Amino acid sequence: MPLSRRALLTAGTGAAAALALTPAPAHARTRPFGRHGSPDRRRTPGTLYVDPHGRGDFTSVQAAVTAATGSGRTLVIAPGTYRETVTVDAGRTEMTFIGASEDPRDVVIVYDNAAGTPTPGGGTHGTSGSATTTVQADGFSARWITFANDWLRADHPGTTGTQAVALKAQGDRSAFWHCRFLGHQDTLYADSTALSVFARQYYAHCHIEGDVDFVFGRATAVYEHCRFRTLDRGDLSAPPYGFVFAPSTARANPHGMLAVRCRFTSGAPDRAYKLARPWVPSSETTARPALVVRDSVIGPGIDPVAPYANMRDAYPWQSMRFAEYRNSGPGAVVGVPANRPQLTAAEAALHTPAAYLRDWRPREGARISIG
């Protein structure tokens, strides 16, 4: 039986497939902030330093966020595991998180709330409230950070609300480079602040893993050169084990989720997962989910014959905006054409990162593709 998420987090195996959270590197003991300055040599007056051992301005990420009032503040975060929940509210625009070691395995923000976890005041957290990190502000960016939720179904057999979000991003112009998003169900919630707000988000060279609907929401979200990894499940005896995407795009939004030049890998048996299913929330029944996966390598973990499924029969996936283009790999084989809508070359020209991001170009030196 595969190790549980909690065992992987504490084992420190360093195995690439498991993506265990490894101890801080040796150099972090003497240079916790790497090349990014220090409290004595700030890169800018708006830079704050976070270190769990007290060598920065703050020992917790949330304390630093709370102190970083206004716009354009930067948090340089030293290696460590920060077990806390973090909220970047709407007033803290243009904020940046930097993992000081420039290795996302070294800086981990993690907690273990689930939708069904009781709150101190009564009731439960719900899906949104389960998030380890919530970003409501526009212009947020992060580099070399792991966002994780290590809540485990096996530890809570009586809990029915098993959604456990690692990151909920709602702001427009949110960008993540070289980050990891670790969880099981509902790992990455790519959302917006309102149905009428078409929040744009960009994820480059990121690793995202989970099992059920682990990339979901209504944002206009571009995933470029990312890896999506589906997890094995010891609690199920037969597929489907889960779904990679569950977009809930507003009907008026021409662009939903776009995965381009990505790779889909799996720790589960072949064909155990579906690529996507549409999420039409009961509170937003006008949604028309949209997803395009193009120029990507889809491994054997995805069912090639029937890669899409319904979340509710009242909203069949065939009536949504799901399509693919020029994918390869065993999970991309078109065995039943009706089950795998394909874009034409002319249609594909409308589904590029540049088209989805419109007049915004993330500034982190990452080239935004145009084709």
Side-chain angles (χ1 to χ4, degrees):
M1 179 179 293
L3 287 173
S4 70
R5 159 73 59 208
R6 186 72 45 71
L8 290 172
L9 297 188
T10 57
T13 63
L19 287 176
L21 306 186
T22 56
H27 66 76
R29 292 192 291 269
T30 56
R31 297 180 62 242
F33 304 109
R35 65 182 180 90
H36 300 283
S38 69
D40 295 328
R41 297 187 300 278
R42 295 185 191 276
R43 297 185 69 182
T44 69
T47 300
L48 295 174
Y49 294 86
V50 185
D51 175 62
H53 304 293
R55 295 164 296 183
D57 300 303
F58 301 93
T59 58
S60 78
V61 177
Q62 184 59 61
V65 170
T66 301
T69 56
S71 181
R73 305 298 295 273
T74 297
L75 271 57
V76 177
I77 307 173
T81 297
Y82 298 85
R83 180 160 286 278
E84 57 178 304
T85 58
V86 175
T87 298
V88 180
D89 62 47
R92 289 168 167 79
T93 57
E94 313 301 327
M95 178 171 280
T96 297
F97 285 8
I98 297 175
S101 71
E102 303 184 13
D103 184 335
R105 294 173 297 179
D106 298 335
V107 177
V108 181
I109 303 172
V110 59
Y111 209 72
D112 61 349
N113 283 329
T117 301
T119 63
T124 57
H125 282 287
T127 300
S128 291
S130 75
T132 297
T133 301
T134 301
V135 178
Q136 300 166 336
D138 290 343
F140 178 85
S141 64
R143 288 172 277 166
W144 307 300
I145 304 285
T146 291
F147 299 93
N149 190 319
D150 62 356
W151 189 90
L152 298 172
R153 299 183 186 96
D155 292 347
H156 307 275
T159 300
T160 56
T162 57
Q163 301 90 341
V165 178
L167 175 87
K168 180 177 182 179
Q170 295 179 278
D172 186 34
R173 296 178 291 104
S174 300
F176 301 83
W177 290 271
H178 305 287
C179 288
R180 300 192 305 165
F181 304 90
L182 309 182
H184 284 273
Q185 184 172 351
D186 291 11
T187 303
L188 175 56
Y189 194 171
D191 197 29
S192 69
T193 55
L195 181 63
S196 60
V197 176
F198 302 162
R200 294 162 295 177
Q201 300 174 12
Y202 180 66
Y203 301 82
H205 302 282
C206 291
H207 174 98
I208 309 157
E209 67 177 42
D211 49 42
V212 177
D213 303 331
F214 64 93
V215 182
F216 72 113
R218 67 181 172 217
T220 297
V222 173
Y223 307 92
E224 188 166 25
H225 296 293
C226 290
R227 181 169 75 158
F228 301 91
R229 181 171 175 78
T230 56
L231 300 174
D232 203 356
R233 295 188 61 177
D235 59 324
L236 295 180
S237 58
Y241 285 9
F243 312 84
V244 179
F245 297 101
S248 57
T249 319
R251 181 176 294 270
N253 189 352
H255 298 125
M257 294 185 175
L258 171 67
V260 56
R261 298 180 181 88
C262 293
R263 182 174 293 271
F264 295 78
T265 65
S266 181
D270 291 355
R271 305 188 177 196
Y273 277 83
K274 305 291 187 182
L275 191 59
R277 63 179 179 174
W279 176 33
V280 179
S282 57
S283 59
E284 298 174 4
T285 56
T286 61
R288 189 164 178 246
L291 167 71
V292 170
V293 179
R294 58 170 299 174
D295 299 293
S296 295
V297 179
I298 303 178
I302 301 299
D303 178 4
V305 176
Y308 305 107
N310 299 337
M311 187 174 291
R312 286 190 284 171
D313 289 342
Y315 305 102
W317 73 263
Q318 293 91 340
S319 66
M320 305 304 168
R321 294 173 285 178
F322 286 1
E324 301 176 53
Y325 181 68
R326 286 193 321 202
N327 295 318
S328 61
V333 173
V334 182
V336 181
N339 289 348
R340 304 204 79 144
Q342 302 290 312
L343 298 175
T344 66
E347 290 169 335
L350 304 176
H351 295 276
T352 66
Y356 278 49
L357 300 179
R358 305 192 303 278
D359 62 345
W360 172 51
R361 295 294 180 269
R363 295 178 296 176
E364 178 55 38
R367 177 177 174 272
I368 304 300
S369 301
I370 59 173

